[in-house]
Amino acid sequence: MIIIQAILLMGVLGVGFSVFLGFANKRFHVETNPKVDEVEEVLPAVNCGGCGYPSCAAYAEAVAENGEDIDLCVVGGAETTTMIAHVMGVEVAGEDKEKLVAVVFCQGDSEAAGFPGEYHGILDCAAAVYSQDVAKRCKYGCLGLGSCVNACPFDAIHLSETGIPYVDAEKCTACGKCVTACPRDLIELHPVTHEAFVYCKSQDPGAIARKVCKKACIACKICVKAAAADDNPEAVTMNGNLAVVNTENYTAKAEYGQKCPTDAYSSRKNSVNYESFVKDKPKEKAPAGESTKE
Amino acid sequence: MVKTSFPKGVHPPEEKDRTSNIPITDLPLPEKILIPLSQHLGKPAKATKGRGDTVTVGERIGEADGFISAHVHSPVSGKIKKLVQLPLPGGRMGEYMEIEVDKEATEAFSFPEKEFDLENATQETVAQALKEAGIVGMGGATFPANVKFTPPKGKTLDSLIINGAECEPYLTCDHRMMLEHAAEIMAAIRILHKAYAFEQILVGIEENKSDAAQALKEEADKYQDLPIQVITTKVKYPQGAEKMLIQALTGRIVPMGKLPLEVGAVVSNVQTVYAMYEAFYREKPLIERVLTVTGDGIAEPKNIRAPLGTPIAKLYEFCGGMKSEPRKMIAGGPMMGIALPTIDYSVMKGSSGYLLFDRPSVPEEGPCIMCGRCVQACPMNLVPLRIAALAKAEQYADAKEYDATSCVECGACAYGCPAKIRLVAWIRYAKNFINIRGL
């Protein structure tokens, strides 16, 4: 008898609630744009923030509801743009965006500019800088504690054995997480096709820069003169005690750095950061090296 | 004698018996000194002398640059060889002046005793004398003394507190100063009292230095007109922290984020007071200090009076060298001091000691088990574990809500932590991030 009572009670309750829920579903239904879900579907769902929105869902909503540009997803690139275009029923406007990659502007690894002592503090660059002013000998240089490595959602940046980060250009999507993670502002995004950079951010006068790091820019201006001799004086300019490659027109050539006494001005392939990349993948032979050039 | 203290705190091993019975010895003049122009809190001094200039003892070589800054004087006679950029303890770069010492001229020079015009001592003349002598807080914070002794309009200083607590383990330099220079310290206190007319003058000394307390008491008895009291406090870390000492001696609590001035108190370390004596009675600027060189790695630990700018290597040489290969070197006390990466540093106004250890003491950081020992230890009543966790999670705004900026970085929390979490480093990270980025 009790069993029947229980079944009846539960049955009545169940029917009651289902009716109520069914009613509530119809009555309080919120209209959503189905395009939002569709766009979100084609996005990579890594929530990296490279597009400027906090998440893929937020970007999808912006595209579907507010007509945001469809080519902002740096991770998906052209493929994703085409897919969004398909979902939204629009044409892909303009030419393909150039692929950007993160470039680390420091070659001061432990061989060129090590820590003066042993470091036993917190293993995080920002914490080291803000808690103790920890630095290698160069106060502008990379600390090599790997905050950028931890920040990368794509496993595209690694520390070399000598403690300097290098970027896997193939995996890098230019989301910019490492750029904000670096407390010394050493990482920037630049087109993957551009070769020549001054891999240094030291504003120290030449004599000091040279003393603290073997690979520092010592402001000798050889590269600036070489650029001027090549009738391209805007390509490399001086900013205080540092030569800077013009990143508006990217016309600097790798040859300008041939005479650089410290190899601070070098082509991507000759930089410490690239060497480590190749060294790290010895088994894959040539293709690994080729791939970064695209 | 009343035994007072502040709530909370920790009890690290004292380790002071290595040097507490050894009288202060003068360091033989080094051949060259490397004197930094940034030895104080605030802006570095501006060099007034350049390469090739000759200087005499006590001559000003760096001028205070701004209100919170201090003059720097040459501790020796000699020739300036060069100005160089070298790292300061802590990592930042700073300007150093390298002076080649002229031994004969330096040894021949002396500061004659003068009678100080006690009757006409005013707040202005005292502050001016402190400024001219480049005196800063010598307990370690190196806050310019003239700024401390210039209360802003509308505020009065009614309590002078002399800090002889020396709560840091290992260090004994203040202890020896009180024993050997009690008379001078009292003479300086008398001038300060004349100028500021304090309602009370309290000397705080930890119980383990009762001989020093006795010496100061005897001296104090000679001046019946001074409202002075020598108080022994419990042995507890950080008894010598400014705010803790004020609370222990007067019962007043300095509000969070405010200076001792807020409760009418001014705190000076015994060595600072001794430097004041030299400034008042001999017009001698701050050019030397007493410090303790000790630790397991030192052959003969000593209390040394050394000219500012002496390379640390000279101190070790004087102490019979290192026993074995050093594994850890600390500038200051073990609780708040800074670990140095090399020995290429110099004695500065705030150097209270150098410790050398033959074993590294950097345990692995473990997970927080929420035992709350750091909360029990924190003299500022903060919640260190929470602030550290927020710093790790990069939630600086929340860390600020937990008063991360009130941390005095005494290290009591990290000392007690069973998981050996680098609490001070994490809190300092949050604190500096908030201060620098202006959250």
Side-chain angles (χ1 to χ4, degrees):
Chain A
M1 191 59 199
I2 288 176
I3 297 172
I4 296 168
Q5 267 182 5
I7 290 171
L8 269 179
L9 183 67
M10 286 326 239
V12 170
L13 276 176
V15 171
F17 280 126
S18 60
V19 168
F20 170 72
L21 281 174
F23 169 75
N25 188 30
K26 288 276 178 231
R27 179 70 182 73
F28 302 111
H29 183 65
V30 180
E31 281 297 324
T32 52
N33 189 341
K35 294 272 183 200
V36 174
D37 290 336
E38 282 174 48
V39 173
E40 200 184 336
E41 199 82 344
V42 301
L43 288 171
V46 281
N47 300 325
C48 68
C51 54
Y53 288 90
S55 64
C56 289
Y59 176 52
E61 198 180 326
V63 169
E65 302 275 338
N66 309 331
E68 178 61 272
D69 290 343
I70 59 168
D71 57 353
L72 292 184
C73 183
V74 286
V75 179
E79 210 177 305
T80 304
T81 308
T82 326
M83 269 146 71
I84 300 175
H86 181 75
V87 170
M88 299 299 295
V90 294
E91 291 291 307
V92 179
E95 69 271 34
D96 276 356
K97 276 195 175 171
E98 195 164 19
K99 181 175 162 64
L100 299 178
V101 289
V103 180
V104 182
F105 280 83
C106 180
Q107 300 188 85
D109 56 2
S110 56
E111 280 164 22
F115 279 111
E118 290 172 27
Y119 178 70
H120 290 289
I122 302 169
L123 293 177
D124 176 275
C125 303
V129 167
Y130 284 111
S131 69
Q132 300 223 278
D133 274 330
V134 170
K136 288 184 176 168
R137 293 191 192 280
C138 171
K139 63 177 169 183
Y140 299 97
C142 170
L143 288 161
L145 301 177
S147 281
C148 49
V149 177
N150 296 338
C152 183
F154 303 101
D155 192 34
I157 190 159
H158 293 273
L159 277 185
S160 71
E161 274 172 24
T162 51
I164 199 89
Y166 59 92
V167 179
D168 185 335
E170 215 170 48
K171 285 184 186 168
C172 178
T173 60
C175 69
K177 284 246 163 161
C178 51
V179 177
T180 42
C182 181
R184 297 263 202 247
D185 294 334
L186 292 172
I187 308 182
E188 292 176 10
L189 301 175
H190 291 296
V192 68
T193 49
H194 188 64
E195 281 281 300
F197 289 105
V198 179
Y199 287 98
C200 185
K201 290 257 178 183
S202 169
Q203 284 288 353
D204 277 332
I208 293 172
R210 178 117 207 198
K211 207 184 268 175
V212 296
C213 177
K214 285 181 210 151
K215 299 249 181 185
C217 172
I218 55 169
C220 66
K221 298 186 187 165
I222 285 180
C223 50
V224 178
K225 283 173 198 155
D230 196 30
D231 222 9
N232 191 3
E234 281 182 10
V236 189
T237 48
M238 292 303 291
N239 171 16
N241 284 319
L242 181 67
V244 182
V245 164
N246 188 331
T247 50
E248 271 163 28
N249 56 18
Y250 294 108
T251 52
K253 295 176 190 157
E255 296 95 85
Y256 301 161
Q258 265 171 1
K259 285 187 182 158
C260 180
T262 58
D263 287 335
Y265 187 118
S266 74
S267 69
R268 199 191 293 274
K269 264 186 359 192
N270 287 332
S271 76
V272 168
N273 318 57
Y274 184 84
E275 274 169 27
S276 312
F277 174 62
V278 178
K279 242 190 265 170
D280 200 44
K281 293 190 175 179
K283 285 163 206 150
E284 288 180 38
K285 283 176 278 172
E290 296 295 323
S291 64
T292 50
K293 282 198 293 180
E294 291 266 87
Chain B
M1 269 187 230
V2 208
K3 263 179 247 161
T4 50
S5 188
F6 64 97
K8 301 190 176 184
V10 290
H11 299 272
E14 292 169 34
E15 307 278 353
K16 287 178 190 269
D17 40 1
R18 281 188 187 78
T19 50
S20 58
N21 292 320
I22 301 176
I24 300 166
T25 39
D26 284 320
L27 183 82
L29 267 182
E31 290 83 48
K32 65 159 197 188
I33 61 160
L34 258 170
I35 185 161
L37 290 172
S38 174
Q39 304 186 38
H40 46 261
L41 205 83
K43 270 179 104 178
K46 260 194 285 192
T48 51
K49 295 276 176 181
R51 189 176 164 177
D53 290 347
T54 48
V55 289
T56 50
V57 180
E59 196 173 341
R60 193 186 295 171
I61 52 174
E63 197 164 31
D65 185 13
F67 183 57
I68 300 191
S69 185
H71 295 321
V72 178
H73 303 82
S74 172
V76 292
S77 292
K79 196 171 173 190
I80 297 174
K81 273 179 81 181
K82 60 186 173 194
L83 281 134
V84 282
Q85 290 276 338
L86 286 171
L88 295 164
R92 266 174 310 134
M93 301 293 272
E95 203 166 23
Y96 281 68
M97 209 177 260
E98 191 181 320
I99 304 177
E100 208 175 42
V101 180
D102 182 343
K103 275 202 171 170
E104 280 175 28
T106 309
E107 272 157 18
F109 197 94
S110 69
F111 290 94
E113 291 251 352
K114 280 178 195 157
E115 200 45 53
F116 189 80
D117 185 7
L118 186 64
E119 291 311 310
N120 293 324
T122 64
Q123 303 200 3
E124 285 73 33
T125 52
V126 165
Q128 188 60 26
L130 296 182
K131 186 174 179 177
E132 285 303 316
I135 294 177
V136 301
M138 287 163 79
T142 63
F143 190 78
N146 63 308
V147 182
K148 212 187 242 178
F149 278 93
T150 312
K153 279 208 179 78
K155 305 258 179 200
T156 47
L157 301 173
D158 62 23
S159 306
L160 173 65
I161 291 169
I162 307 298
N163 187 350
E166 199 166 50
C167 57
E168 279 270 6
Y170 288 95
L171 303 182
T172 55
C173 50
D174 289 358
H175 182 188
R176 294 308 306 179
M177 278 312 271
M178 289 187 283
L179 273 182
E180 296 178 26
H181 298 287
E184 287 91 334
I185 290 169
M186 276 303 150
I189 291 174
R190 194 157 149 245
I191 290 179
L192 291 175
H193 177 62
K194 180 77 198 163
Y196 290 85
F198 294 109
E199 281 168 25
Q200 51 179 354
I201 301 172
L202 305 169
V203 185
I205 300 174
E206 276 191 354
E207 228 180 334
N208 56 0
K209 290 176 275 290
S210 49
D211 48 348
Q214 197 56 37
L216 280 176
K217 240 186 167 74
E218 277 165 22
E219 275 307 317
D221 288 343
K222 292 183 191 163
Y223 302 103
Q224 290 301 333
D225 54 329
L226 286 184
I228 191 164
Q229 233 183 317
V230 179
I231 301 174
T232 36
T233 66
K234 275 188 193 159
V235 180
K236 188 154 80 169
Y237 184 86
Q239 193 70 263
E242 205 170 51
K243 291 172 186 175
M244 274 72 253
L245 195 64
I246 293 173
Q247 190 179 350
L249 299 187
T250 66
R252 300 177 196 176
I253 297 173
V254 182
M256 285 256 180
K258 294 278 166 58
L259 294 171
L261 180 79
E262 205 67 24
V263 294
V266 58
V267 184
S268 267
N269 179 269
V270 285
Q271 285 220 44
T272 319
V273 178
Y274 179 76
M276 289 177 189
Y277 163 80
E278 296 207 309
F280 294 145
Y281 283 99
R282 296 165 72 190
E283 288 186 8
K284 181 180 175 181
L286 180 53
I287 54 172
E288 57 183 22
R289 69 158 294 144
V290 175
L291 47 88
T292 309
V293 180
T294 181
D296 299 334
I298 279 284
E300 304 163 30
K302 274 179 185 161
N303 296 303
I304 305 174
R305 179 179 284 113
L308 300 179
T310 309
I312 301 177
K314 289 280 164 201
L315 298 176
Y316 293 152
E317 220 172 84
F318 184 59
C319 290
M322 305 169 186
K323 270 197 228 162
S324 52
E325 200 192 337
R327 293 306 313 272
K328 184 154 195 177
M329 186 162 78
I330 301 172
M335 300 295 283
M336 283 190 74
I338 302 168
L340 300 179
T342 67
I343 63 166
D344 304 326
Y345 291 90
S346 300
V347 174
M348 297 178 20
K349 288 176 183 175
S351 318
S352 44
Y354 290 98
L355 313 182
L356 207 65
F357 298 101
D358 49 13
R359 53 175 200 275
S361 55
V362 194
E364 282 288 306
E365 210 173 79
C368 176
I369 56 167
M370 305 266 169
C371 65
R373 269 193 223 173
C374 51
V375 184
Q376 282 166 17
C378 182
M380 296 299 292
N381 298 321
L382 303 176
V383 191
L385 69 105
R386 180 64 63 214
I387 300 173
L390 289 169
K392 275 185 200 177
E394 302 181 14
Q395 300 191 2
Y396 310 110
D398 291 347
K400 198 183 175 188
E401 287 290 303
Y402 277 87
D403 276 313
T405 45
S406 298
C407 171
V408 294
E409 300 175 20
C410 67
C413 53
Y415 174 78
C417 180
K420 305 293 168 211
I421 299 172
R422 297 171 183 33
L423 288 163
V424 189
W426 283 111
I427 296 172
R428 186 154 42 189
Y429 168 32
K431 191 175 153 179
N432 290 353
F433 195 95
I434 292 163
N435 288 341
I436 294 168
R437 294 280 175 97
L439 208 74

